[in-house]
C-alpha cells in the first residue's frame, strides 16, 4: 500500500512539472539574436557569447543548427565494450505521445545487435564545431526501465582524452540504473556517478524528463542533475581538463559493457529529449572581438540563461561548421643537434661493426640462432690410445690447443652423438701467450684449458640448474686465481693419465708440469679450502673422463625461469657418477675417445610444448575467447563446436602444471643422488635473484612501452573480438611499480600480485608460487632423505601431498615432483617397470586414462553446465568459519591462481607418461622443440606484450579493411608468433645475461673465500717506485720481496735510515 501511495505521489509530481513546463512553453518568446551582450548566469557567475536553444515540442522537424549522424564504427573503445556502435538517421524522430506524463519531444531509438556485433542507435550533434567552453542543459528522459541496457548521453568529444560526458543508463536491471559523469575518457566507476535510487530519494524522478546540465570552463567542470550539483572536476584537483573546441552530441547507444550500460537491448529501446539549451563561446572569436565585447557589455546588459522565453540560435560564420584543428608552427630542421646525432651514431655503427667483424663469424651467427650445431673441437687424428711401447715414444691422448677455434668453444649441452666439442673452456685461455712447454712423450692439453683442472663452473660441467658460466679472464694470473682453491681438496690437480704414475714420478724421464714451476703464478695452497659449487666434477682419472659431466636440467624451466615459460638453460639428466673409460673402450670406436653425452631431450621438449600451449591459451582468450569461455558470444558456430570437442585438451589452463613438476625434478635430483648440501645452498642463495632480476628488467621495459602508448589499440580490441578478458593499466607512478616488483618476492600464495593488473596477460602470478614451492621442496627434502625405510618415505609423501591439496596449496605439485624424482633416482622404478611388461602396459594405459580424464572433466561441464571444479573447491576448508567452503556458503568457481584436483592428477599422469614412454620421448625430442627450449623464459615474459600490442594493432587494422573474422585471426596468429619467434634470439641473450651473471657473482661472493689483497707492486717490491737506486745495493741486499709484497730483511736493505728517508721522499714526489 505504501508503495502505491509513493508511486501516486511521483506521478502527481511529474504531471505538475509537465504543466509548469507547458506553461513556460506558452509564454512570449524572445529571439537570442537580441542578446548582443551575451548570456549571464548569476548563480555561477558565467558569461557566454553564443547560444542555441531548441524546444522539440514546438517544431515538426530538426532545426538547421542540429545534424543527424549516420555511421557504423569498425571498432569502439572500452575494455568490456563487446559490441560496436552505429547510428541511423531514421532512429531520430519527433514524436507526440498521448499519455498525460509524456510530452511531445525528440525520440532517439536504439536497435538490438545484428550478427556482426553492431548496435545501431541514434546520434545528433550541433552543426557548429567551434564550441569552446559553455553551459549545456538538456531535458532527458531515460531509456525505458523494462528494456535491456542502453544509454542516452550528452557529450563533447575531440578525442579520447579531450572529452566530457554525462550518461543516463537504464541497465539490464532497472534497480541498477544510474548516471555517470566523466571527463578525459575515464572508466565508469560507481563513485563517478549517481544511482537512480539516490536521485529518487532526493525528490527527483529520472525515469521522466529531468534536466541534466554541464558547466564547462577553463578551470572546472560541474555536473548538475535536477538543478543540484552532483559532481565536479577542477584543474587544481584533477590536473588538466578538456580544453579543445568540438561539437556537442546527443547519442542513444549500447556497447554491452557490463560495467556501465550492460545490454544491448533485446528489442527497440526509446529515450527522449524534451529541449536543449546551450550557451557557449566560439573558438573563432579573436582577441580584438573579445576586447570590444568587454568594453561594450556588462553582465547587467546580458540575457539571463535561466530565461525560458529565449529561442533560436546565434548567427555564426561558415568557418564554425569546420572541425577545429591545431595550428602547427612552421617546422625548422634543428641542424646542430642533428649533425651531432649523426656523428655519434656513425661512430657507434663503425665501432660496433668493426667489433662484430673481428670477433664474430657467420657460423657464430647461425649457431646463436640455433640453426646449426656447434663445431667440433678435436680434429681427426688429434686423439689416440695411450699404449706403452718399449724403446719408442709413447703415443697418448692428444688434443692440440692450436686445433681449437675459439669461436667453436661451446658451453651448452647437446644430445649424445659423440660430439667432442662440448668441453668447457675459459675464453681468456685462447688468447694467452704460448703455454709452458711440455716435455716427454705426451702432448696433453695445457692445464689452463683442461676440463680436468678448469674449476670455473660452466653449463657443461655444472650439475647446477642455474647453468652459471665462468667469467672470462683476460690474463693468466686472473684465470689461475679463479681456479685456485675451487677443487674438492682445495688444490689444483694436474693432468692425470690412464697409466698409474706416482706423485712426482716422471713419465719417460719428464717431470709433469706443476703450477708452482711458474714463478709468475700464485702459489696454490695445499689443504682444505672453500668447496666448489655442486656440479663441478672432480678431476677425472682417465682419458674418457675428460668429457664433461652432463649438466642437470635447469630447475625445470620455471623454477628458474618461471612457471609459465622458463629459463633458457639446457635440460640434462646428470649421471650418478662419471664412468671410467678404459683404454680398450676408446680403441673400440668411441668417437675421439670421448663417450657420448646424454641429454634428457624429451623433458626439454615437454616443457617447450607446454609453453606453446600456454601461449595459445592466452592467444585464444584474447582473440577467440568463445573457444574457451562459454559466456562469450561466438563469431562462428565452429567456435562453439571446438569448445565442446578438442579445444579443452589443447587450450586448458592446466598446462601450467608441467612447469612446476619438471622444475621440481631438477631442483632435487642432485641432492637425492649425492646427499650433499652445497648444491642446495647454491639454489637457496641464487634462486630469488635468478628469477626476479630478469623479471624486473623485462617488466621495466614493458612499463616503458606501455607508457609510450604501445597498448593503445588493446582498449579497442574487445569490440572486434568480443572478448572481455584482456585488461591492463599502467601503474600510477614508478614507486608503485617498484613496490609491485618487490611484492613478488614476499607474496604468499594463493593470491594474485598487484602487478598482474599492470603486466600483459598477468603471467607473473606464478613467481610467488615458484619461490614458495622452492623453499617447501628444499626443506622437505632434508626430511625425506632421512626416511630410509621405503614405506615410511612414501607415507610421508602421501601425507604431504594430501594435506597440501586439502589446504589449496601448490605444494602438492612440488611434492609429487619430488616423488617422481625419488622413484627414478633412488628406487629405479623405470628399470623395474620395463622388466615387467604385464605391469608396465596396464600402468601406462591407466596413466593415459587419468590424463584424459583430467581434461575431459572440464569438457563435460560444457554439456552438463555443472561446474565440477566449483564442487571440488567446496570440499576445502574455509579459514574464517572453520567449516568447508560449501558449508560456509562461499563456494564459487575457483580463481585461476587456485590449484584444482583434476589439473593436479592430469599433470602427475602426464609427467609419468613422459618419463616411462619411449614413444612419447621420441616425439618430444623433435628438433623444433629443442630449439625452442632455451627461449622458454623469454617466451614466458614477452609473449603477452606481443599479443596485446602488435596483435591488437594487427587484428583491428585487418578487421577495419573488411576482412572476415577467420582471416583476421589467421593473419594475427602469423604476425604474433612470427614476431615472437623473431624476437627470441634478440631478447634471450640479455635476459639470460641479467639473470646468470648476477647470480654467478652472488654465489661466488657467498661461497668462495676472497683472494688475499696484494700490494700495488705485487709481485715486485716497492723498489720499482724508487729513483737513483744503486743496482749494486739491490743485488747485495739480503732481503727480497715475498709473494705478498713484504720484505724479508736479514740486514739493512737500503743502508742507513737517512738514505731510506730520502728514498721514500722520492716515492712521495712520484
Amino acid at each position: 500500500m505504501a508503495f502505491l501511495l509513493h508511486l501516486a505521489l511521483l506521478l502527481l509530481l511529474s504531471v505538475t512539472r509537465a504543466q509548469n513546463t507547458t506553461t513556460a512553453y506558452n509564454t512570449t518568446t524572445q529571439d537570442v539574436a537580441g542578446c548582443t551582450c551575451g548570456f549571464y548566469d548569476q548563480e555561477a557567475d558565467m558569461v557566454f557569447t553564443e547560444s542555441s536553444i531548441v524546444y522539440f515540442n514546438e517544431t515538426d522537424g530538426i532545426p538547421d543548427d542540429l545534424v543527424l549522424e549516420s555511421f557504423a564504427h569498425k571498432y569502439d573503445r572500452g575494455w568490456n565494450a563487446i559490441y560496436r556502435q552505429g547510428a541511423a538517421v531514421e532512429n531520430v524522430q519527433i514524436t507526440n505521445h498521448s499519455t498525460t506524463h509524456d510530452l511531445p519531444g525528440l525520440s532517439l531509438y536504439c536497435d538490438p545487435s545484428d550478427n556482426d556485433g553492431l548496435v545501431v542507435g541514434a546520434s545528433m550533434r550541433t552543426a557548429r564545431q567551434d564550441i569552446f567552453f559553455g553551459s549545456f542543459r538538456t531535458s532527458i528522459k531515460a531509456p525505458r526501465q523494462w528494456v535491456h541496457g542502453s544509454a542516452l548521453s550528452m557529450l563533447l568529444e575531440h578525442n579520447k582524452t579531450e572529452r566530457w560526458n554525462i550518461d543516463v543508463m537504464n541497465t539490464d536491471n532497472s534497480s541498477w540504473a544510474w548516471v555517470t559523469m566523466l571527463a578525459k575518457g575515464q572508466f565508469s566507476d560507481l563513485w563517478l556517478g549517481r544511482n537512480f535510487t539516490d536521485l529518487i530519494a532526493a525528490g527527483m524522478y529520472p525515469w521522466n524528463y529531468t534536466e541534466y546540465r554541464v558547466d564547462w570552463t577553463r578551470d572546472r567542470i560541474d555536473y548538475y542533475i535536477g538543478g543540484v550539483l552532483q559532481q565536479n572536476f577542477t584543474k587544481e584537483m584533477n590536473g588538466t581538463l578538456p580544453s579543445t573546441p568540438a561539437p556537442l552530441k546527443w547519442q542513444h547507444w549500447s556497447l554491452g559493457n557490463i560495467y556501465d550500460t550492460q545490454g544491448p537491448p533485446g528489442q527497440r529501446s526509446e529515450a527522449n529529449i524534451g529541449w536543449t539549451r546551450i550557451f557557449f563561446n566560439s573558438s573563432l572569436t579573436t582577441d580584438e572581438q573579445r576586447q570590444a565585447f568587454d568594453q561594450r557589455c556588462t553582465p547587467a546588459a546580458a540575457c539571463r540563461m535561466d530565461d525560458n522565453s529565449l529561442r533560436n540560435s546565434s548567427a555564426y560564420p561558415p568557418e564554425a561548421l569546420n572541425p577545429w584543428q591545431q595550428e602547427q608552427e612552421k617546422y625548422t630542421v634543428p641542424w646542430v643537434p642533428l649533425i651531432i646525432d649523426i656523428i655519434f651514431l656513425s661512430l657507434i655503427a663503425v665501432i660496433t661493426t668493426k667489433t662484430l667483424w673481428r670477433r664474430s663469424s657467420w657460423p657464430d651467427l647461425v649457431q646463436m640462432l640455433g640453426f646449426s650445431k656447434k663445431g667440433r673441437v678435436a680434429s681427426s687424428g688429434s686423439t689416440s690410445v695411450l699404449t706403452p711401447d718399449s724403446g719408442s715414444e709413447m703415443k697418448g691422448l692428444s688434443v692440440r690447443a692450436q686445433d681449437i677455434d675459439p669461436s667453436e668453444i661451446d658451453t651448452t649441452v647437446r644430445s649424445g652423438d659423440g660430439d667432442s666439442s662440448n668441453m668447457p673452456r675459459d675464453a681468456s685461455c685462447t688468447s694467452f701467450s704460448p703455454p709452458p712447454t711440455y716435455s716427454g712423450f705426451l702432448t696433453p692439453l695445457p692445464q689452463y684449458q683442461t676440463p680436468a683442472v678448469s674449476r670455473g663452473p660452466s653449463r657443461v660441467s655444472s650439475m647446477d640448474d642455474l647453468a652459471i658460466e665462468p667469467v672470462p679472464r683476460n690474463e693468466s694470473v686472473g684465470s689461475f686465481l679463479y681456479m685456485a682453491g675451487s677443487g674438492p681438496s682445495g688444490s689444483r690437480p694436474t693432468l692425470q693419465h690412464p697409466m698409474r704414475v706416482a706423485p712426482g714420478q716422471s713419465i719417460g724421464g719428464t717431470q709433469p708440469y706443476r703450477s708452482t714451476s711458474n714463478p709468475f703464478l700464485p702459489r696454490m695452497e695445499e689443504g682444505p679450502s672453500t668447496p666448489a659449487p655442486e656440479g663441478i666434477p672432480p678431476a677425472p682419472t682417465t682419458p674418457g673422463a675428460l668429457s664433461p659431466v652432463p649438466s642437470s636440467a635447469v630447475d625445470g624451466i620455471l623454477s628458474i625461469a618461471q612457471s609459465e615459460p622458463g629459463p633458457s638453460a639446457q635440460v640434462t639428466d646428470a649421471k650418478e657418477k662419471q664412468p671410467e673409460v678404459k683404454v680398450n673402450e676408446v680403441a673400440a670406436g668411441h668417437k675421439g675417445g670421448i663417450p657420448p653425452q646424454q641429454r634428457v631431450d624429451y623433458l626439454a621438449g615437454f616443457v617447450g610444448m607446454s609453453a606453446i600451449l600456454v601461449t595459445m591459451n592466452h592467444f585464444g582468450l584474447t582473440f577467440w575467447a568463445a573457444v574457451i569461455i562459454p559466456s562469450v558470444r561466438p563469431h562462428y558456430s565452429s567456435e562453439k563446436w571446438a569448445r565442446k570437442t578438442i579445444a579443452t585438451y589443447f587450450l586448458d589452463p592446466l598446462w601450467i602444471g608441467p612447469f612446476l613438476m619438471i622444475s621440481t625434478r631438477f631442483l632435487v635430483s642432485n641432492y637425492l643422488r649425492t646427499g650433499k648440501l652445497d648444491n642446495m645452498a647454491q639454489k637457496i642463495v641464487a634462486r630469488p635473484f635468478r628469477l626476479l632480476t630478469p623479471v624486473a628488467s623485462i617488466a621495466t621495459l614493458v612499463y616503458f612501452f606501455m607508457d609510450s602508448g604501445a597498448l593503445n589499440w588493446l582498449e579497442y580490441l574487445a569490440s572486434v573480438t568480443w572478448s572481455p578478458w584482456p585488461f591492463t593499466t599502467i601503474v600510477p607512478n614508478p614507486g608503485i611499480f617498484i613496490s609491485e616488483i618487490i611484492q613478488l618476492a614476499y607474496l604468499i600464495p594463493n593470491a594474485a600480485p598487484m602487478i598482474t593488473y599492470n603486466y600483459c596477460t598477468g603471467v607473473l602470478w606464478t613467481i610467488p608460487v615458484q619461490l614458495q614451492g622452492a623453499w617447501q621442496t628444499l626443506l622437505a627434502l632434508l626430511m625425506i632423505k632421512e626416511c630410509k625405510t621405503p614405506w615410511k618415505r612414501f607415507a610421508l609423501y602421501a601425507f604431504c601431498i594430501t594435506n597440501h591439496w586439502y589446504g589449496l596449496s601448490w605444494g602438492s605439485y612440488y611434492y609429487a615432483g619430488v616423488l617422481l624424482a625419488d622413484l627414478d633416482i633412488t628406487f629405479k622404478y623405470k628399470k623395474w617397470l620395463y622388466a615387467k611388461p604385464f605391469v608396465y602396459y596396464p600402468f601406462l594405459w591407466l596413466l593415459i586414462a587419468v590424463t584424459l580424464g583430467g581434461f575431459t572433466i572440464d569438457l563435460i561441464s560444457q554439456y552438463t553446465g555443472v561446474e565440477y571444479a566449483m564442487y571440488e573447491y567446496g570440499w576445502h576448508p574455509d579459514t574464517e568459519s572453520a567449516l568447508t567452503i560449501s558449508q560456509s556458503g562461499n563456494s564459487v568457481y575457483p580463481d585461476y591462481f587456485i590449484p584444482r584436483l583434476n589439473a593436479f592428477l592430469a599433470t602427475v599422469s602426464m609427467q609419468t607418461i613422459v618419463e616411462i614412454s619411449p614413444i612419447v620421448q621420441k616425439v618430444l625430442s623433435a628438433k623444433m622443440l629443442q630449439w625452442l627450449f632455451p627461449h622458454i623464459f623469454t617466451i614466458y615474459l614477452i609473449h603477452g606484450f606481443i599479443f596485446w600490442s602488435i596483435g591488437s594493432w594487427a587484428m583491428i587494422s585487418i578487421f577495419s579493411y573488411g576482412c572476415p573474422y577467420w582471416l583476421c585471426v589467421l593473419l594475427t596468429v602469423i604476425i604474433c608468433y612470427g614476431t615472437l619467434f623473431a624476437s627470441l634470439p634478440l631478447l634471450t641473450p640479455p635476459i639470460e645475461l641479467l639473470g646468470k651473471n648476477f647470480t654467478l657473482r652472488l654465489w661466488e661472493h657467498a661461497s668462495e673465500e676472497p683472494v688475499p689483497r696484494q700490494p700495488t707492486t705485487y709481485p715486485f717490491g716497492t723498489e720499482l717506485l724508487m729513483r737513483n737506486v744503486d743496482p749494486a745495493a739491490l743485488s747485495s741486499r739480503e732481503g727480497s720481496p715475498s709473494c705478498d709484497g713484504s720484505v724479508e730483511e736479514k740486514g739493512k736493505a737500503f743502508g742507513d735510515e737517512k738514505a731510506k728517508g730520502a728514498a721514500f721522499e722520492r716515492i712521495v714526489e712520484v
Side-chain angles (χ1 to χ4, degrees):
M1 187 66 181
F3 172 76
L4 295 178
L5 180 61
H6 181 66
L7 182 61
L9 290 174
L10 290 176
L11 291 177
L12 179 61
L13 178 63
S14 300
V15 172
T16 303
R17 287 186 176 181
Q19 291 174 350
N20 294 336
T21 305
T22 304
T23 303
Y25 293 161
N26 294 330
T27 58
T28 305
T29 62
Q30 176 184 355
D31 197 311
V32 297
C35 301
T36 57
C37 285
F39 307 88
Y40 178 64
D41 189 312
Q42 185 175 5
E43 181 182 353
D45 193 22
M46 299 183 300
V47 175
F48 299 106
T49 59
E50 312 291 324
S51 72
S52 176
I53 300 174
V54 178
Y55 285 86
F56 291 103
N57 67 321
E58 299 176 356
T59 179
D60 295 331
I62 305 298
D64 293 338
D65 53 350
L66 295 177
V67 176
L68 302 184
E69 294 185 305
S70 178
F71 57 81
H73 289 170
K74 296 294 185 180
Y75 48 85
D76 272 294
R77 180 172 174 261
W79 295 111
N80 299 277
I82 57 177
Y83 291 87
R84 294 177 290 117
Q85 182 182 357
V89 174
E90 56 270 20
N91 280 357
V92 181
Q93 300 176 7
I94 300 292
T95 57
N96 187 0
H97 293 284
S98 58
T99 56
T100 57
H101 62 279
D102 273 347
L103 297 174
L106 184 68
S107 295
L108 290 85
Y109 297 97
C110 183
D111 296 328
S113 168
D114 62 14
N115 294 332
D116 295 327
L118 181 66
V119 179
V120 179
S123 180
M124 179 179 69
R125 66 170 177 85
T126 59
R128 297 186 63 168
Q129 304 193 54
D130 62 335
I131 298 175
F132 191 40
F133 304 127
S135 180
F136 311 93
R137 310 169 187 205
T138 301
S139 176
I140 293 177
K141 183 177 181 180
R144 305 302 182 259
Q145 59 194 89
W146 56 84
V147 182
H148 278 186
S150 61
L152 181 56
S153 302
M154 179 174 65
L155 68 153
L156 186 139
E157 178 182 28
H158 176 72
N159 55 34
K160 71 176 185 178
T161 56
E162 289 292 310
R163 65 171 289 165
W164 55 259
N165 54 288
I166 184 167
D167 309 316
V168 183
M169 299 174 287
N170 62 336
T171 69
D172 292 348
N173 186 338
S174 61
S175 62
W176 298 345
W178 63 314
V179 181
T180 58
M181 294 157 281
L182 311 174
K184 300 192 299 183
Q186 292 172 306
F187 185 79
S188 52
D189 286 313
L190 292 176
W191 64 276
L192 294 175
R194 293 292 183 273
N195 190 278
F196 275 23
T197 304
D198 298 332
L199 297 178
I200 293 174
M204 308 175 197
Y205 190 64
W207 293 112
N208 206 344
Y209 285 104
T210 304
E211 181 188 39
Y212 295 88
R213 168 183 161 190
V214 179
D215 290 346
W216 173 39
T217 63
R218 191 177 299 274
D219 299 320
R220 61 187 298 123
I221 303 177
D222 296 325
Y223 298 85
Y224 295 82
I225 301 177
V228 179
L229 179 65
Q230 303 288 342
Q231 178 80 20
N232 61 52
F233 298 97
T234 64
K235 184 174 292 187
E236 180 181 358
M237 295 296 296
N238 303 95
T240 60
L241 295 177
S243 58
T244 304
L248 184 67
K249 297 182 180 181
W250 297 266
Q251 294 181 340
H252 190 188
W253 57 279
S254 178
L255 297 180
N257 192 328
I258 61 172
Y259 295 105
D260 48 41
T261 65
Q262 300 181 353
Q267 62 189 59
R268 199 177 202 198
S269 178
E270 179 184 1
N272 305 94
I273 297 177
W275 45 259
T276 65
R277 299 167 54 86
I278 62 176
F279 307 92
F280 57 94
N281 292 332
S282 172
S283 60
L284 300 177
T285 303
T286 63
D287 292 338
E288 292 77 9
Q289 292 173 332
R290 189 175 297 108
Q291 292 175 2
F293 179 86
D294 293 340
Q295 294 174 0
R296 186 182 76 250
C297 298
T298 63
C303 296
R304 302 296 179 182
M305 293 186 192
D306 55 2
D307 184 357
N308 291 330
S309 65
L310 297 176
R311 296 292 189 275
N312 301 329
S313 302
S314 302
Y316 53 86
E319 293 79 10
L321 303 179
N322 300 326
W324 179 86
Q325 294 182 350
Q326 178 72 50
E327 293 184 3
Q328 300 291 338
E329 296 183 1
K330 184 178 180 181
Y331 178 76
T332 58
V333 179
W335 288 109
V336 174
L338 183 60
I339 292 173
I340 295 175
D341 289 343
I342 292 175
I343 291 174
F344 280 98
L345 287 175
S346 301
L347 289 175
I348 293 173
V350 170
I351 294 172
T352 304
T353 303
K354 179 183 177 182
T355 303
L356 294 177
W357 179 264
R358 295 186 62 181
R359 294 179 178 267
S360 304
S361 63
W362 176 253
D364 292 336
L365 178 62
V366 174
Q367 291 168 10
M368 182 186 71
L369 296 176
F371 298 117
S372 174
K373 289 187 176 182
K374 308 292 183 181
R376 303 187 184 279
V377 174
S379 60
S380 61
S382 64
T383 59
S384 60
V385 180
L386 179 65
T387 57
D389 188 0
S390 58
S392 63
E393 296 181 348
M394 296 177 63
K395 300 179 180 179
L397 180 65
S398 172
V399 182
R400 299 189 300 273
Q402 60 267 31
D403 292 340
I404 300 175
D405 183 357
S407 67
E408 296 177 347
I409 294 175
D410 178 30
T411 57
T412 60
V413 179
R414 292 291 177 184
S415 56
D417 57 356
D419 193 346
S420 61
S421 64
N422 297 316
M423 296 186 186
R425 296 288 189 273
D426 191 322
S428 62
C429 297
T430 62
S431 62
F432 286 162
S433 57
T437 304
Y438 287 80
S439 60
F441 301 103
L442 299 179
T443 309
L445 195 64
Q447 288 199 5
Y448 54 81
Q449 284 198 338
T450 304
V453 297
S454 176
R455 285 302 162 199
S458 70
R459 185 174 290 182
V460 173
S461 61
S462 174
M463 292 190 295
D464 171 35
D465 64 294
L466 295 177
I468 299 176
E469 298 177 346
V471 178
R473 263 59 177 179
N474 294 326
E475 63 258 22
S476 59
V477 174
S479 182
F480 280 98
L481 283 172
Y482 180 68
M483 293 185 291
S486 62
S489 63
S491 62
R492 181 168 156 266
T494 58
L495 181 66
Q496 302 293 321
H497 301 283
M499 297 182 64
R500 303 305 181 193
V501 181
Q505 179 182 349
S506 63
I507 302 177
T510 302
Q511 184 72 19
Y513 174 77
R514 298 184 61 84
S515 62
T516 55
S517 65
N518 190 336
F520 294 96
L521 298 180
R523 294 179 299 185
M524 301 302 165
E525 299 276 303
E526 297 293 337
S529 64
T530 304
E534 186 196 342
I536 303 178
T541 58
T542 66
L546 289 175
S547 66
V549 178
S551 146
S552 88
V554 219
D555 257 31
I557 304 72
L558 288 179
S559 18
I560 300 188
Q562 261 352 318
S563 53
E564 299 222 6
S568 70
Q570 302 288 335
V571 170
T572 60
D573 194 9
K575 302 177 183 179
E576 290 185 307
K577 64 178 181 178
Q578 182 71 15
E580 183 176 349
V581 181
K582 304 298 183 182
V583 171
N584 58 352
E585 291 177 352
V586 177
H590 272 304
K591 205 170 186 179
I594 298 177
Q597 300 178 17
Q598 296 180 359
R599 185 176 78 168
V600 190
D601 288 340
Y602 58 85
L603 290 180
F606 187 37
V607 175
M609 183 188 71
S610 299
I612 293 300
L613 291 175
V614 169
T615 64
M616 289 177 61
N617 173 262
H618 292 160
F619 185 91
L621 289 170
T622 303
F623 297 103
W624 59 39
V627 177
I628 302 174
I629 306 175
S631 60
V632 173
R633 191 172 76 260
H635 292 79
Y636 305 102
S637 58
S638 58
E639 295 176 57
K640 189 175 181 180
W641 171 86
R643 186 181 69 246
K644 292 187 174 183
T645 52
I646 61 174
T648 302
Y649 296 96
F650 296 99
L651 303 179
D652 199 292
L654 66 78
W655 282 104
I656 195 68
F659 292 108
L660 306 179
M661 298 201 64
I662 293 178
S663 69
T664 305
R665 174 180 177 84
F666 298 107
L667 184 68
V668 304
S669 58
N670 280 304
Y671 182 74
L672 287 174
R673 287 188 180 94
T674 64
K676 296 180 179 179
L677 295 175
D678 48 0
N679 179 262
M680 184 178 293
Q682 181 180 359
K683 291 180 173 66
I684 291 175
V685 170
R687 174 170 302 279
F689 304 96
R690 181 65 177 90
L691 282 170
L692 295 176
T693 302
V695 168
S697 303
I698 297 301
T700 304
L701 181 65
V702 171
Y703 176 27
F704 169 78
F705 282 124
M706 290 174 63
D707 198 27
S708 301
L711 300 183
N712 283 348
W713 289 105
L714 183 63
E715 199 169 356
Y716 298 89
L717 188 63
S719 62
V720 174
T721 62
W722 307 347
S723 170
W725 186 72
F727 171 77
T728 188
T729 180
I730 190 169
V731 292
N733 57 68
I736 295 178
F737 173 75
I738 295 173
S739 175
E740 291 179 349
I741 293 295
I742 296 175
Q743 184 190 54
L744 291 174
Y746 294 96
L747 183 71
I748 299 176
N750 294 317
M754 291 304 300
I755 199 172
T756 298
Y757 305 102
N758 306 123
Y759 194 86
C760 297
T761 69
V763 293
L764 296 183
W765 69 270
T766 57
I767 295 290
V769 174
Q770 284 292 324
L771 288 175
Q772 188 190 56
W775 308 139
Q776 288 178 345
T777 302
L778 294 174
L779 291 175
L781 201 56
L782 298 174
M783 182 169 52
I784 291 172
K785 187 70 174 179
E786 296 304 316
C787 294
K788 308 300 182 182
T789 307
W791 73 266
K792 293 181 180 178
R793 181 176 290 197
F794 292 116
L796 177 62
Y797 281 126
F799 177 81
C800 294
I801 291 174
T802 302
N803 279 277
H804 276 277
W805 164 78
Y806 187 65
L808 291 174
S809 169
W810 290 95
S812 55
Y813 284 78
Y814 289 95
Y815 276 98
V818 176
L819 172 61
L820 292 178
D822 200 9
L823 286 171
D824 185 19
I825 296 171
T826 306
F827 297 95
K828 313 295 183 186
Y829 82 107
K830 288 191 286 188
K831 180 185 294 186
W832 183 85
L833 274 177
Y834 293 152
K836 296 177 174 56
F838 60 89
V839 176
Y840 170 76
Y841 287 105
F843 181 63
L844 180 61
W845 282 108
L846 174 63
L847 293 174
I848 294 174
V850 173
T851 300
L852 295 177
F855 288 94
T856 305
I857 196 69
D858 290 335
L859 178 63
I860 294 175
S861 299
Q862 305 293 334
Y863 292 93
T864 63
V866 178
E867 297 293 351
Y868 298 100
M870 185 174 68
Y871 281 100
E872 184 251 324
Y873 181 64
W875 301 341
H876 298 275
D878 180 69
T879 55
E880 295 182 359
S881 63
L883 303 172
T884 64
I885 294 177
S886 60
Q887 289 174 342
S888 63
N890 298 324
S891 184
V892 295
Y893 193 86
D895 284 320
Y896 61 91
F897 51 81
I898 295 178
R900 295 183 295 158
L901 179 61
N902 69 312
F904 170 71
L905 295 177
T907 300
V908 174
S909 301
M910 282 192 295
Q911 177 65 26
T912 309
I913 292 171
V914 170
E915 293 279 358
I916 68 175
S917 174
I919 297 177
V920 175
Q921 293 173 4
K922 186 173 182 179
V923 172
L924 294 177
S925 299
K927 290 184 177 180
M928 178 59 190
L929 294 175
Q930 304 309 307
W931 175 87
L932 190 67
F933 175 72
H935 305 286
I936 294 298
F937 200 11
T938 309
I939 295 174
Y940 167 78
L941 292 175
I942 209 69
H943 76 277
F945 175 75
I946 291 177
F947 290 171
W948 286 6
S949 58
I950 296 175
S952 60
W953 164 80
M955 169 62 76
I956 292 175
S957 299
I958 297 170
F959 186 80
S960 299
Y961 285 104
C963 297
Y965 189 73
W966 66 265
L967 181 60
C968 297
V969 173
L970 178 61
L971 294 178
T972 303
V973 168
I974 296 173
I975 293 171
C976 286
Y977 279 94
T979 304
L980 178 62
F981 292 147
S983 67
L984 296 181
L986 301 177
L987 294 176
T988 298
I991 290 176
E992 287 301 293
L993 185 67
L994 289 170
K996 291 193 298 184
N997 281 10
F998 180 75
T999 52
L1000 166 64
R1001 284 159 179 78
L1002 181 68
W1003 176 245
E1004 285 181 343
H1005 179 75
S1007 61
E1008 296 183 3
E1009 294 181 1
V1011 177
R1013 186 174 181 180
Q1014 305 291 357
T1016 305
T1017 59
Y1018 173 82
F1020 305 102
T1022 57
E1023 66 272 9
L1024 290 179
L1025 301 177
M1026 300 179 184
R1027 305 176 187 172
N1028 302 325
V1029 179
D1030 186 3
L1034 290 176
S1035 61
S1036 62
R1037 69 187 179 96
E1038 296 180 2
S1040 61
S1042 63
C1043 289
D1044 60 359
S1046 63
V1047 177
E1048 301 172 358
E1049 295 189 6
K1050 295 182 180 179
K1052 284 189 176 181
F1054 298 96
D1056 56 14
E1057 293 297 330
K1058 185 177 181 179
K1060 183 183 296 185
F1064 281 104
E1065 288 178 0
R1066 288 193 293 272
I1067 293 176
V1068 173
E1069 292 176 359
V1070 174

